[in-house]
Amino acid sequence: MAHHVTRREFVKRGGGLLVGFSLIDGSVAPRLLASTPRDSQAAEDPSAPPDSPSRLDAWLRVDPDGLVHVFTGKVEIGMGVETAFAQIIAEELDVPVSHVRFVMGDTAQTPDQGGVGGSTSVSNGAKPLRNVAASARAMLLQAAAPQLGADPAQLEVRDGIIINPAHPATRVSYGAVAGRADLHEILQVTGAGFSLNVEGAGTPKDPSTYRVVGTSVPRVDIAPKVLGTFRYVTDVRVPGMLHGRVIRPPATGAHLVRVNDEPARRIQGYVRTVVKHDFVGVLADTEWGAIKASQAVDLTWSEPAANLPSHDSLYTWMRQATPKASRQTLPHGPSTSAGAGDVESALSLASSRVEASYEFPFQSHATMGPGCAVADVREGQATIWSGAQKPHALRKGIAELIDMPIEHVRIVWVEDSGSYGRPGFEDAAADAVLLSQAAGRPVRVQWMRADMTAWGAKGPAVVCDLAAALDEHREVTAVRFTSRAFSGGEILYQPSTGDNFLAARLTGVPNTSSVDEFVSWGGQTPAYAFPNVQSIAHVVASLYDGPSPLRTSHLRDPEGPAASFAVESFIDEVAAASGVDPIALRLKWIKEPRAQAVLQAAAEKAGWQSRPSPAGHARNSAGDVLKGRGVALGTRNGTYVGTIAEVDVNRRTGALRVTRFVCAHDCGLIVNPGALTRTIQANLVQSLSRAVHEEVAFDDRTVTSVDWRTYPIARMADVPPTVDIVLINHPELPPGGAGEPSSRPTAAAIANAVFDATGVRMRRAPLTAARVKAALA
Amino acid sequence: MSRFSLTVNGQSHTVDADPDCPLLYVLRDTLALNNPRFGCGLGQCGACTVIVDHHAVRSCRIPVSSAAGRPIGTLDGLGTPEHPHPIQQAFIDEQAFQCGYCLNGWVMTAKALLDGNPHPSEEEIRRAFQGLICRCGSHVGILAAVRRASGHQA
Ligand code: FES
Ligand code: FES
């Protein structure tokens, strides 16, 4: 099994000059072993615990050959954050991007930065890295100064070489001085998790001088992936490893009555079946043996009463359910307007009203790789290789799950397929842990497709009811927003509790760590400054309290696409009712200049003609295909997105085709425009998929969306021929989040375009051909 | 268990396997080739694509017994870091992917497509890829890469 060595032991054995917290097993991070002995004094320094983020060398070290190793609790989930970080480090240190190497998310070597979530990796997570690099630079210059006969302030750095500009021949490399630099300087630590920050002696550069940040450096991970040399977590192989498969109950509430593994025993390589309450897994020497055994083992389950409402009645059920929790924002409005703050009377006094309800279904993470983990739980120690995007939280959760001191649990993060929140990679890790614990051997669990699509965590279903009051000039005087949603925190999105995991629920552990997450106006939606606004948010209890395939958690931008679908469709309805252009109405009521700017930039790129919707083709056109255009705005923690969709709607079949997207995007300072453009394009396609195709189906017993046939997503034919991205750069602002915001406006932009084309309003997502056809009939 | 001889990327291997075992698991678990990848095991996503007799096939759906004795090509054998295959180079130049977990399917399907039809039309490209899944939505970059690899203006 992986041997745990303290940092100090490692150093004594001739470890690196500047090392992360502790060791590392060579198979995972062999490059770390390549460093030369360091002066052991520094390592013995008792003033700071070796794993303290207050130590510079906990974050960064420089090899004698000039390679810069950076240790971060953030991880790559497929959007290029490793490259953005490399650019930021390279910028501060003046080293080539190719000299920066990362250890990400290994809990034995990296500080707890909360992992990945909320599009914060660059906006928050890069801050300590930038400061650490600036401080390392300051320390290295200080160490080089006597030798170069100059003040540190006079020295320059080019490609990792420190130069005295007065005597350009006088130079020394970072690698050569690194041994003399005091890189275990004490940093000042503030915050924790996502907001963990450190500051030291160095001052980061003025962004106006950036040369690497802001350029389209190729992503460091793409070439190795395309060349087939990249290792995902699915490729981790540990000596003596068994293959595991898990078997889920056939219905919510079904309990295991009898296990007969006799048929499995005939399968080559079969080792055993592990049963713990309703958790069942099989183990075999080979992966195929495990798959066959999981099909062969004869399980008898109880037949519980139907526990779920029928899929058809979901939204009725949500509206009728007594909310589990509610939150109201006080009605507010500028004190000068008549009736300010009184939404009810504004609505009752209105000369006309617009009222509409919108529905957004459960959606599945349905990750490309269904989830995989390797666990080695033996002799009071646990090592887990997992692609879960919050490794430090996972460490806490696993420790609690198996009641092991947290110091004995180590998560080695290794990239899995694209992860957009809390997909279930966490649950696969817990499965592997329980199976390894039972077997006393390392176990690799690879989820099958149905484990992920049907049993992975779900994005919550959301219904929103909106009402607007219009005065006699058809001006909006008040808006009321009411949401009802399952909580995106029903399974805590931090897998930091033992009850978080599906395996825990199946072994009978109740879920006590869920949190209520509210869907509110201005929270997951733009905050239009109408004279009176009231936002009422209800959380409804989960459909089934036991282990359920409809457990909800974070899926890319929790509730953002659902709530923005409602509000941005509604704004369009108000514009249509007022007879004004939908961009003009938004520009009037959204006050943030950057939100206005993305709408204007998108309009300009799209050649938007100012006019109200609908276009009126439905009456005038003889053909089957109607064309329309729609717009929507997305705002999220200081990032602004304006999306325009152009669609063709076939009024005979209901099929809709997005022919063009224009997306104007402002996330502050842009670190890598090329990578950002690709991430936005991909987010547009993924959110199109969610808008048009994706809906988790279920019957009254369980989820029936189990694979790519029963949970269809966008394919090549859905991809718009034209996707125009307009990037708005703000070098004077800090870099903001870019992973999620562009998933917000897409569904409404498409639905608004359908309205523009047909005059028919689609208020239920996804906008499948059958639904559009029915609406047009 | 039976013994099979497999020719993968020009190298021959003798493996002991259950004749029904899908080729995917033999390539991954017995031969430790990390590409193809497991995505669904149902023939629905393409992550496990390999080339057998010049056709892109889904290795999760063909038993090892039927692949024995036929030339099998995988991503690992396409090019090397020093000499990437032009299709790989096009995908790298276009920075086509997000997580890249799906890419084995797209790259190997592109190989089979362009081997048979070096200059496919936009329609032909889209049709050839209709059976593949990319959960991240990297399709715009993928289309650009295939156009680039087929000599179209990127
Ligand atoms: S893994 Fe073979 S098609 Fe999906
Ligand atoms: S790039 Fe992530 S699945 Fe295709």
Side-chain angles (χ1 to χ4, degrees):
Chain A
M1 70 173 285
H3 178 59
H4 291 264
V5 189
T6 66
R7 166 203 181 83
R8 208 160 293 178
E9 279 177 70
F10 175 47
V11 166
K12 277 192 186 148
R13 292 181 194 183
L17 170 65
L18 299 154
V19 202
F21 302 153
S22 68
L23 194 68
I24 18 186
D25 81 74
S27 65
V28 177
R31 59 191 177 222
L32 292 176
L33 299 174
S35 37
T36 56
R38 62 176 288 177
D39 120 340
S40 58
Q41 276 317 100
E44 300 293 339
D45 185 335
S47 62
D51 60 348
S52 165
S54 68
R55 294 176 60 127
L56 182 51
D57 60 353
W59 296 86
L60 186 145
R61 72 179 173 119
V62 182
D63 272 353
D65 64 2
L67 287 185
V68 177
H69 296 277
V70 180
F71 302 82
T72 173
K74 296 288 179 187
V75 301
E76 175 65 71
I77 57 169
M79 290 171 247
V81 78
E82 182 177 1
T83 307
F85 286 172
Q87 287 176 265
I88 287 164
I89 300 280
E91 183 75 65
E92 294 300 335
L93 279 172
D94 283 311
V95 298
V97 168
S98 61
H99 286 195
V100 185
R101 303 291 159 82
F102 286 91
V103 172
M104 303 186 116
D106 178 346
T107 61
Q109 303 187 70
T110 64
D112 180 358
Q113 292 182 268
V116 172
S119 301
T120 60
S121 289
V122 172
S123 58
N124 289 342
K127 269 187 211 156
L129 301 184
R130 184 183 298 113
N131 293 338
V132 157
S135 291
R137 179 197 172 94
M139 299 290 109
L140 290 161
L141 294 190
Q142 206 170 6
Q147 175 180 353
L148 298 182
D151 261 13
Q154 293 165 335
L155 298 175
E156 288 174 6
V157 184
R158 267 173 245 149
D159 287 346
I161 309 291
I162 309 169
I163 299 165
N164 178 351
H167 307 281
T170 321
R171 50 180 62 201
V172 62
S173 72
Y174 273 161
V177 293
R180 298 199 294 277
D182 181 14
L183 288 204
H184 76 290
E185 180 212 9
I186 303 301
L187 302 167
Q188 209 171 356
V189 182
T190 51
F194 284 168
S195 59
L196 176 66
N197 196 10
V198 291
E199 282 170 290
T203 311
K205 287 183 180 174
D206 175 350
S208 68
T209 67
Y210 281 168
R211 286 176 301 177
V212 183
V213 169
T215 63
S216 295
V217 169
R219 275 177 50 178
V220 297
D221 55 329
I222 293 215
K225 285 171 175 173
V226 173
L227 293 166
T229 56
F230 191 86
R231 297 287 172 265
Y232 292 89
V233 69
T234 48
D235 308 326
V236 171
R237 298 177 181 90
V238 173
M241 173 178 95
L242 294 174
H243 289 269
R245 285 295 184 281
V246 285
I247 305 165
R248 306 301 187 203
T252 50
H255 295 295
L256 195 56
V257 177
R258 201 174 61 92
V259 179
N260 170 19
D261 81 337
E262 183 63 39
R265 282 187 225 161
R266 289 193 286 272
I267 286 160
Q268 180 87 25
Y270 171 72
V271 174
R272 60 175 285 203
T273 296
V274 176
V275 176
K276 212 174 165 189
H277 203 73
D278 294 324
F279 173 84
V280 190
V282 295
L283 293 168
D285 288 336
T286 63
E287 189 162 11
W288 179 237
I291 293 169
K292 290 225 312 191
S294 72
Q295 292 159 353
V297 66
D298 175 17
L299 304 176
T300 309
W301 298 87
S302 67
E303 285 182 31
N307 276 307
L308 303 175
S310 76
H311 188 175
D312 288 346
S313 65
L314 173 66
Y315 300 122
T316 312
W317 188 95
M318 290 172 73
R319 284 205 172 79
Q320 287 171 352
T322 306
K324 166 174 186 278
S326 301
R327 180 180 287 172
Q328 277 201 38
T329 56
L330 287 177
H332 61 81
S335 53
T336 50
S337 72
D342 189 348
V343 169
E344 287 313 314
S345 58
L347 280 168
S348 63
L349 296 173
S351 51
S352 62
R353 275 191 301 227
V354 181
E355 287 174 289
S357 297
Y358 305 89
E359 294 152 341
F360 206 88
F362 289 109
Q363 294 185 328
S364 178
H365 278 269
T367 51
M368 186 74 204
C372 181
V374 178
D376 187 355
V377 186
R378 276 184 296 181
E379 297 160 29
Q381 304 269 344
T383 305
I384 299 102
W385 290 262
S386 165
Q389 67 185 55
K390 294 183 171 72
H392 287 84
L394 180 65
R395 182 191 190 200
K396 287 195 197 97
I398 295 291
E400 199 174 300
L401 176 74
I402 54 174
D403 200 14
M404 187 180 271
I406 190 163
E407 312 78 63
H408 295 187
V409 179
R410 174 184 178 192
I411 308 297
V412 182
W413 174 84
V414 189
E415 191 172 341
D416 204 326
S417 64
S419 161
Y420 296 98
R422 193 206 177 288
F425 298 165
E426 308 74 7
D427 302 302
D431 291 342
V433 163
L434 292 193
L435 293 179
S436 173
Q437 193 180 32
R441 286 174 67 177
V443 172
R444 173 184 187 269
V445 169
Q446 166 72 69
W447 271 12
M448 301 301 278
R449 174 48 45 199
D451 293 319
M452 168 49 71
T453 302
W455 282 88
K458 301 295 180 296
V462 179
V463 300
C464 298
D465 301 329
L466 283 119
L470 271 51
D471 67 13
E472 63 277 19
H473 310 294
R474 295 198 289 180
E475 290 282 355
V476 179
T477 58
V479 168
R480 186 180 57 214
F481 168 92
T482 309
S483 68
R484 289 176 181 79
F486 298 98
S487 176
E490 186 207 319
I491 315 172
L492 189 63
Y493 30 83
Q494 306 272 5
S496 56
T497 57
D499 61 6
N500 202 285
F501 306 105
L502 182 54
R505 313 306 312 287
L506 289 165
T507 52
V509 179
N511 182 7
T512 58
S513 61
S514 39
V515 293
D516 295 325
E517 201 165 73
F518 297 93
V519 179
S520 59
W521 173 277
Q524 291 89 337
T525 77
Y528 294 95
F530 294 119
N532 295 286
V533 176
Q534 184 171 22
S535 171
I536 305 160
H538 303 295
V539 171
V540 297
S542 58
L543 291 176
Y544 178 70
D545 198 32
S548 166
L550 287 170
R551 324 165 287 144
T552 48
S553 193
H554 281 182
L555 166 61
R556 201 179 207 174
D557 193 22
E559 306 100 18
S564 293
F565 169 62
V567 167
E568 286 299 298
S569 294
F570 186 69
I571 297 295
D572 213 68
E573 300 210 38
V574 170
S578 311
V580 302
D581 175 79
I583 291 185
L585 184 92
R586 286 175 170 83
L587 291 175
K588 177 169 181 186
W589 291 108
I590 196 80
K591 295 304 173 198
E592 296 115 302
R594 291 169 65 200
Q596 297 176 340
V598 292
L599 287 168
Q600 282 157 338
E604 189 184 329
K605 180 76 185 175
W608 181 271
Q609 304 292 322
S610 183
R611 60 164 174 81
S613 283
H617 302 311
R619 282 187 313 277
N620 307 330
S621 159
D624 283 339
V625 174
L626 303 173
K627 291 184 179 300
R629 56 62 182 308
V631 67
L633 174 66
T635 59
R636 191 184 201 286
N637 295 338
T639 293
Y640 300 87
V641 187
T643 299
I644 291 170
E646 297 176 2
V647 303
D648 285 356
V649 183
N650 185 314
R651 60 173 149 190
R652 203 168 37 79
T653 63
L656 85 84
R657 173 94 205 272
V658 179
T659 54
R660 185 187 187 193
F661 274 132
V662 177
C663 178
H665 193 278
D666 169 4
C667 56
L669 167 76
I670 296 171
V671 177
N672 185 323
L676 175 61
T677 299
R678 285 287 186 236
T679 292
I680 297 168
Q681 288 170 340
N683 201 357
L684 290 172
V685 173
Q686 191 189 61
S687 49
L688 174 154
S689 178
R690 294 175 67 180
V692 172
H693 294 295
E694 295 186 31
E695 174 163 22
V696 172
F698 54 94
D699 59 23
D700 57 11
R701 302 169 74 240
T702 195
V703 164
T704 54
S705 291
V706 294
D707 60 13
W708 295 119
R709 288 224 166 85
T710 47
Y711 190 76
I713 69 168
R715 291 180 181 247
M716 222 18 133
D718 297 291
V719 177
T722 309
V723 178
D724 291 318
I725 309 297
V726 183
L727 299 181
I728 299 176
N729 191 20
H730 282 287
E732 76 286 3
L733 295 174
E740 295 169 293
S742 54
S743 64
R744 285 197 170 177
T746 311
I750 294 171
N752 295 342
V754 170
F755 176 75
D756 189 58
T758 64
V760 171
R761 181 61 63 180
M762 301 300 299
R763 300 190 183 92
R764 179 178 285 189
L767 281 64
T768 58
R771 234 169 237 164
V772 174
K773 185 178 173 184
L776 289 174
Chain B
M1 283 302 220
S2 314
R3 181 152 291 199
F4 299 100
S5 129
L6 296 180
T7 309
V8 185
N9 302 325
Q11 287 207 315
S12 47
H13 305 266
T14 305
V15 297
D16 290 318
D18 174 353
D20 293 339
C21 177
L23 177 62
L24 173 67
Y25 302 109
V26 177
L27 295 174
R28 284 192 58 85
D29 298 334
T30 314
L31 301 181
L33 293 170
N34 292 320
N35 306 280
R37 301 202 164 277
F38 174 76
C40 66
L42 304 165
Q44 296 175 355
C45 76
C48 63
T49 302
V50 298
I51 295 185
V52 179
D53 283 340
H54 311 292
H55 297 291
V57 303
R58 304 204 162 180
S59 64
C60 71
R61 299 303 277 175
I62 63 163
V64 60
S65 53
S66 75
R70 299 156 71 189
I72 301 165
T74 75
L75 181 70
D76 306 77
L78 204 54
T80 63
E82 296 71 37
H83 300 287
H85 188 281
I87 293 174
Q88 287 173 309
Q89 192 59 54
F91 277 94
I92 295 169
D93 291 343
E94 287 293 342
Q95 296 284 292
F97 296 101
Q98 293 292 291
C99 76
Y101 192 89
C102 62
L103 73 77
N104 178 75
W106 299 96
V107 175
M108 298 309 281
T109 305
K111 169 87 166 71
L113 169 69
L114 298 180
D115 279 354
N117 178 5
H119 305 290
S121 67
E122 179 76 14
E123 247 339 279
E124 288 171 324
I125 294 175
R126 284 184 182 245
R127 216 175 318 121
F129 289 123
Q130 184 63 9
L132 295 171
I133 295 277
C134 170
R135 182 43 162 161
C136 297
S138 303
H139 305 69
V140 177
I142 291 167
L143 279 173
V146 179
R147 280 187 218 121
R148 179 189 281 259
S150 58
H152 287 271
Q153 224 44 335

